Amino acid sequence: MRRRGRRGAGDRRDADSDRRQRRETSGRSARAQTTIDFAVGVGIFLLAVAWVVGTIPQILDPFEAEQDRPLVANRAADSLTQRLLVDDENPDVLDAVCTEAFFDGDPPGDCDYGSADPVTATGIGASYGLNVTLSQNRSVVETTGEPVPTTRSVVTARRAVLLDGELHELSVRVW
């Protein structure tokens, strides 16, 4: 008959080998990292870095200085065609005297703009370049402001206007 609670020498060896085996596999996997595991981890990391690098310029785009050029051009064109160069009696028609004086750079006292400089007259900042051109049938009638650059981005706002009963096009270019 066998006693309970006591083990024999053979039982003790089996228990020690079980403990050793559990100790070797309990904290870590018995399998080491393979080259495939490393390559997958590095690949995922590089994809994440590439996504961040590709996304940051798109996040910063709204803060770029060039984004405000269309707004400035439209504001200047609206200011000229709705307030500064219009006839007080007919708000849809340009005043011939004020328009001529604006393009000549000599504002008369009864016009709504007080400066001969088109940048100051339209109220846009000095950091912008401005050119205002009046044309009829695609030929230039009058122009004022700086020459339009050919090496940088220029935004144009156009308005159809009546001057002396004839249809003209007022183009405001901002850079």
Side-chain angles (χ1 to χ4, degrees):
M1 183 163 130
R2 271 182 123 172
R3 286 193 209 165
R4 288 186 183 204
R6 294 194 89 190
R7 294 185 175 177
D11 288 340
R12 208 175 286 140
R13 277 187 228 124
D14 289 341
D16 288 341
S17 80
D18 284 346
R19 263 188 242 120
R20 253 187 261 124
Q21 188 177 14
R22 266 189 252 127
R23 199 177 313 136
E24 290 173 359
T25 61
S26 66
R28 299 184 205 165
S29 173
R31 183 177 148 252
Q33 183 180 26
T34 63
T35 305
I36 296 259
D37 296 334
F38 179 75
V40 168
V42 168
I44 291 172
F45 174 74
L46 290 176
L47 284 173
V49 168
W51 180 81
V52 168
V53 168
T55 303
I56 286 178
Q58 294 171 358
I59 292 171
L60 299 177
D61 271 349
F63 304 110
E64 193 175 303
E66 298 290 323
Q67 295 293 324
D68 60 345
R69 305 284 192 234
L71 297 173
V72 172
N74 279 314
R75 187 175 301 134
D78 286 343
S79 178
L80 288 170
T81 59
Q82 295 175 6
R83 189 172 51 90
L84 298 177
L85 300 179
V86 295
D87 185 7
D88 291 334
E89 296 171 9
N90 296 319
D92 298 331
V93 179
L94 295 184
D95 184 340
V97 174
C98 289
T99 303
E100 181 74 26
F102 177 78
F103 284 104
D104 289 343
D106 183 30
D110 59 340
C111 293
D112 289 338
Y113 57 93
S115 175
D117 181 31
V119 172
T120 307
T122 55
I124 67 171
S127 61
Y128 299 101
L130 177 75
N131 178 282
V132 181
T133 303
L134 185 68
S135 57
Q136 184 180 28
N137 298 328
R138 300 207 184 254
S139 62
V140 175
V141 177
E142 295 278 354
T143 188
T144 186
E146 300 174 33
V148 179
T150 57
T151 58
R152 55 186 300 192
S153 176
V154 177
V155 176
T156 304
R158 293 185 173 98
R159 301 291 185 269
V161 294
L162 282 176
L163 179 65
D164 293 331
E166 296 180 7
L167 186 64
H168 289 74
E169 182 180 83
L170 183 81
S171 300
V172 177
R173 293 179 181 88
V174 175
W175 60 93

